[in-house]
């Protein structure tokens, strides 16, 4: 049994690349149409009897309309400080909305890892080290340094807002972008408080999202670009960049072969001779 603290830096890079490659696969947007769900309500907050009335917002972004989504992609994992490439991977990703996320990672056509996320579990197999993780989201919390669950991952990397958070963002519009900011946005599910900046273009497609956990000061920064129109009139990004300073890791993700509403594989089997990874 291998404990998390026993992993060296290269092991962690591979595990991290395996688990966070799904972050590169959730940023599709749609143009305004009858299927678009807009998540925004405004509220009026009064700080004190002598303060000015401030209008606070929940970020308005378009929700990608799908039941199944799949894509292939290439991922380059770099060191943030020196921009040296640490590993490059190919990934295949399938998502059944609000249900399951399936990912395989390969190098030169050989599968190195497989990952299946459900709403309450994480199942991960590392074929290179003959190890597996079969438990809850603690492995993500360990990697990122703050609490995260299936729905937060799904929302964030569909280019959406943080789910289950209060409406304490200011809003600023410019010629080309709309920016939402908050210094202390609170989760309605747990004790998480974040500093947040979310920026969209004028079609409300998220182009930049920065989140910092106030308690740990760990952060994640995501940018999206190169949007293309799909056959059903929706838009999907073709490039995504993710930076996580706490791990000194940057992921550069290029998508191709995206399919909508085509069911894909979701299975994973734990080999009997593999050893468990434990998180403390």
């Amino acid at each position: 049994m291998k404990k998390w603290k026993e992993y060296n830096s290269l092991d962690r890079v591979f595990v991290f690349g395996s688990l966070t490659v799904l972050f590169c696969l959730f940023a599709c947007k749609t143009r305004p149409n009858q299927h678009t769900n807009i998540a925004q309500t405004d509220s009026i907050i009064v700080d004190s009897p002598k303060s000015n009335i401030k209008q606070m917002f929940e970020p308005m972004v378009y929700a990608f309309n799908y039941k199944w989504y799949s894509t292939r992609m290439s991922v380059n994992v770099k060191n943030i400080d020196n921009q040296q490439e640490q590993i490059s991977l190919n990934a295949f990703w399938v998502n059944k909305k609000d249900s399951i996320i399936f990912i395989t990672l390969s190098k030169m056509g050989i599968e190195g890892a497989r990952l299946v996320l459900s709403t309450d579990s994480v199942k991960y197999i590392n074929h290179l080290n003959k190890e597996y993780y079969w438990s809850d989201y603690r492995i993500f919390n360990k990697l990122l340094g703050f609490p995260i669950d299936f729905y937060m991952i799904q929302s964030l990397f569909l280019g959406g807002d943080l789910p289950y958070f209060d409406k304490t963002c200011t809003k600023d519009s410019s010629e080309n972008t709309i920016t939402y900011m908050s210094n202390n946005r609170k989760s309605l599910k747990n004790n998480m408080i974040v500093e947040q900046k979310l920026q969209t273009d004028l079609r409300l497609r998220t182009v930049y999202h920065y989140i910092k956990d106030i308690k740990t000061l760990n952060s994640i920064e995501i940018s999206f670009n190169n949007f293309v129109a799909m056959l059903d009139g929706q838009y999907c990004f073709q490039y995504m960049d993710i930076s996580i300073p706490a791990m000194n890791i940057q992921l550069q993700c290029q998508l191709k072969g995206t399919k909508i509403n085509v069911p894909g594989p979701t299975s994973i089997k734990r080999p009997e001779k593999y050893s468990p990874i434990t998180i403390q």
Side-chain angles (χ1 to χ4, degrees):
M1 180 180 296
K2 194 171 186 178
K3 296 181 180 179
W4 180 255
K5 64 182 180 181
E6 296 172 359
Y7 278 76
N8 61 39
S9 59
L10 290 178
D11 286 333
R12 292 194 184 203
V13 164
F14 187 79
V15 173
F16 178 77
S18 302
L19 294 173
T20 59
V21 90
L22 67 96
F23 292 169
C24 310
L25 304 168
F26 278 102
C28 293
K29 310 291 175 294
T30 179
R31 293 179 294 187
N33 59 47
Q34 62 181 347
H35 301 295
T36 299
N37 296 320
I38 299 177
Q40 184 207 3
T41 56
D42 299 348
S43 61
I44 302 296
I45 297 178
V46 179
D47 292 337
S48 70
K50 294 183 180 181
S51 69
N52 295 326
I53 296 177
K54 295 181 180 180
Q55 190 172 15
M56 310 305 286
F57 297 87
E58 181 178 0
M60 174 185 276
V61 295
Y62 281 120
F64 186 59
N65 183 39
Y66 72 103
K67 292 182 179 179
W68 288 86
Y69 178 88
S70 64
T71 192
R72 297 185 183 277
M73 64 184 300
S74 59
V75 182
N76 291 326
V77 182
K78 289 188 173 183
N79 180 295
I80 292 178
D81 288 341
N82 58 28
Q83 285 297 292
Q84 293 295 313
E85 182 176 304
Q86 295 184 334
I87 190 171
S88 60
L89 303 166
N90 293 315
F92 175 58
W93 178 86
V94 176
N95 173 220
K96 184 179 181 182
K97 188 176 181 180
D98 294 333
S99 177
I100 202 164
I101 299 163
F102 169 93
I103 300 167
T104 59
L105 293 168
S106 61
K107 183 80 173 179
M108 300 180 66
I110 300 174
E111 182 177 311
R114 181 171 294 202
L115 174 70
V116 173
L117 305 178
S118 68
T119 57
D120 59 3
S121 69
V122 174
K123 297 179 179 180
Y124 166 71
I125 295 174
N126 184 329
H127 294 299
L128 300 182
N129 292 340
K130 295 186 177 181
E131 297 168 339
Y132 69 89
Y133 177 83
W134 226 258
S135 189
D136 55 24
Y137 278 77
R138 282 177 295 170
I139 192 167
F140 277 102
N141 300 339
K142 187 75 173 182
L143 287 166
L144 297 177
F146 53 81
I148 194 166
D149 62 16
F150 179 93
Y151 296 104
M152 184 180 288
I153 292 171
Q154 182 169 259
S155 180
L156 281 177
F157 302 99
L158 276 165
D161 185 26
L162 291 169
Y164 321 118
F165 275 70
D166 62 13
K167 304 166 188 175
T168 55
C169 293
T170 60
K171 178 181 178 181
D172 180 57
S173 299
S174 65
E175 183 178 354
N176 299 313
T177 60
I178 303 169
T179 302
Y180 299 90
M181 297 185 68
S182 177
N183 291 326
N184 58 346
R185 198 165 181 212
K186 299 177 181 179
S187 171
L188 303 178
K189 289 185 65 177
N190 52 44
N191 296 323
M192 188 177 185
I193 302 174
V194 301
E195 177 185 334
Q196 181 184 15
K197 179 178 180 180
L198 189 153
Q199 194 169 62
T200 75
D201 61 17
L202 298 183
R203 287 182 171 176
L204 307 186
R205 302 175 300 194
T206 301
V207 295
Y208 177 80
H209 203 169
Y210 171 82
I211 303 161
K212 181 171 72 174
D213 178 50
I214 297 299
K215 182 178 180 181
T216 64
L217 300 182
N218 290 322
S219 64
I220 182 169
E221 185 177 13
I222 314 167
S223 60
F224 312 87
N225 57 57
N226 192 17
F227 291 90
V228 298
M230 306 297 289
L231 294 177
D232 64 351
Q234 301 187 86
Y235 283 96
C236 183
F237 77 100
Q238 296 297 291
Y239 181 82
M240 185 181 189
D241 192 288
I242 304 169
S243 293
I244 303 182
M247 296 194 67
N248 196 26
I249 286 179
Q250 177 184 8
L251 291 94
Q252 299 175 329
C253 313
Q254 186 74 48
L255 278 70
K256 60 183 179 181
T258 302
K259 297 180 181 179
I260 297 174
N261 293 332
V262 177
T266 59
S267 65
I268 188 169
K269 184 178 180 180
R270 183 174 65 191
E272 292 183 1
K273 295 184 179 180
Y274 282 23
S275 300
I277 299 170
T278 61
I279 304 297
Q280 294 182 340

